[in-house]
Amino acid sequence: TCDIKVVQSQFTNAVGLRFRAPDTGRMRALKMDEDGKLYPPPQGWDGLTFIVVVDKKRTREEEGGKIENENKKVSSGVTPEKLGDLIILGLSYKATETDVKEYFEGYGEIKSCEIKKDYSGNSRGFGFISFVSDESAKRVMNETYHNIAGRKCEVRIPKRTEPERKLFVGRLPRGTNEEDLKEYFSTFGPLADVYIPRPHRGFAFITFERGEDAEVVLKQKHFLKDAPLNVTIPDPPAKKQKFGEHENFGGAERSGP
């Protein structure tokens, strides 16, 4: 057996443990008696990854107090460290956002979670996670590796670079023109350019005047004419050339301004 106090020494608001049953793939909770003793699963402790269950109400209250303290630091001229989104590298291509959320919710309340996908909707093997509290993010960063959906993953702070302004827009409905895209995406910020290759191949490129506006677009889901769009950062030309395509995206040269 294992005492819940041992878990609480690392996760203050822990109230239990969960694990994914190998036979069904579903999450199950460990049995715990009134004295806080956790009993092992039928197959034993070995070979399983356990997720800490926390008291979310108590966690929110504590995080609220920390936010108040951080606000006091800001007012006194001390700026607290902000981690923001964390990038998850090495994800299994079969892992879902639900798998990622179930794993990381043991570290604290999740603000957002996203697995990046290619033009066909398949996982690109990495994603992003952000927490309500920076303390939760720091606990994640203290671990060298994380086992998610049966694969060892690494979590890092993304490199702080100039935000990408140019975006790829895939799965365009038939008949979509530049004006349709301008009308929709200009609601997020001023556009510098909109380009649909000819003949129509079902995709386009849009460029915002500010990278910050493009970042907002990337974090949301989009629909045009009731059809879902796939909005991502374009692959670099060098990657396209591996498949024998021209340097211009989509293998089509652009004419005109």
Side-chain angles (χ1 to χ4, degrees):
T1 61
C2 173
D3 199 303
I4 188 64
K5 292 181 180 178
V6 175
V7 182
Q8 290 172 343
S9 66
Q10 299 296 319
F11 302 92
T12 308
N13 295 329
V15 293
L17 289 175
R18 293 194 301 166
F19 67 99
R20 189 180 299 278
D23 52 346
T24 63
R26 296 187 176 182
M27 299 301 297
R28 306 177 81 175
L30 288 183
K31 293 182 179 179
M32 184 173 66
D33 62 21
E34 295 179 354
D35 297 325
K37 290 184 178 181
L38 295 163
Y39 292 88
Q43 59 269 51
W45 298 103
D46 295 337
L48 296 175
T49 299
F50 295 92
I51 296 174
V52 179
V53 181
V54 298
D55 185 333
K56 292 185 177 180
K57 182 178 179 181
R58 190 188 306 171
T59 301
R60 289 194 193 99
E61 291 174 351
E62 291 183 357
E63 289 174 351
K66 289 175 183 176
I67 292 173
E68 184 178 349
N69 290 334
E70 288 177 354
N71 288 338
K72 289 179 181 178
K73 291 179 182 179
V74 173
S75 62
S76 62
V78 179
T79 303
E81 180 184 3
K82 290 294 180 183
L83 293 179
D85 289 344
L86 302 178
I87 186 170
I88 311 165
L89 302 172
L91 277 174
S92 166
Y93 292 106
K94 295 181 180 180
T96 65
E97 290 182 358
T98 299
D99 293 328
V100 176
K101 287 179 180 178
E102 286 185 348
Y103 176 83
F104 284 110
E105 67 183 6
Y107 291 88
E109 187 175 357
I110 295 172
K111 183 178 180 181
S112 65
C113 173
E114 180 186 13
I115 292 179
K116 286 298 181 180
K117 299 179 180 179
D118 60 19
Y119 305 155
S120 302
N122 299 315
S123 171
R124 297 174 67 183
F126 72 95
F128 293 91
I129 186 85
S130 65
F131 294 87
V132 173
S133 167
D134 274 358
E135 292 301 318
S136 301
K138 289 176 183 177
R139 285 198 291 269
V140 171
M141 294 297 296
N142 286 337
E143 302 288 340
T144 305
Y145 294 105
H146 299 269
N147 195 312
I148 304 173
R151 185 167 180 176
K152 186 184 291 185
C153 303
E154 187 176 357
V155 179
R156 299 178 184 174
I157 300 174
K159 293 181 179 179
R160 304 301 181 184
T161 58
E162 186 69 22
E164 179 65 54
R165 298 189 302 122
K166 187 174 184 178
L167 303 178
F168 170 91
V169 183
R171 300 179 188 170
L172 288 182
R174 287 186 178 275
T176 300
N177 55 41
E178 282 86 351
E179 288 302 318
D180 295 328
L181 293 176
K182 286 179 181 178
E183 181 178 354
Y184 177 77
F185 285 105
S186 62
T187 59
F188 295 92
L191 294 169
D193 186 45
V194 174
Y195 170 53
I196 300 178
R198 298 288 187 269
H200 192 281
R201 293 187 176 90
F203 66 88
F205 295 94
I206 59 173
T207 304
F208 285 89
E209 292 183 2
R210 298 190 300 263
E212 292 79 6
D213 295 331
E215 283 189 325
V216 172
V217 170
L218 284 171
K219 293 180 180 180
Q220 299 185 25
K221 295 182 179 180
H222 303 278
F223 293 83
L224 187 64
K225 299 180 180 179
D226 296 325
L229 301 177
N230 180 31
V231 182
T232 64
I233 295 175
D235 289 332
K239 185 174 181 179
K240 293 289 183 181
Q241 289 175 343
K242 291 181 181 180
F243 297 90
E245 296 183 1
H246 296 293
E247 182 174 342
N248 299 69
F249 290 100
E253 294 186 1
R254 181 175 180 178
S255 60

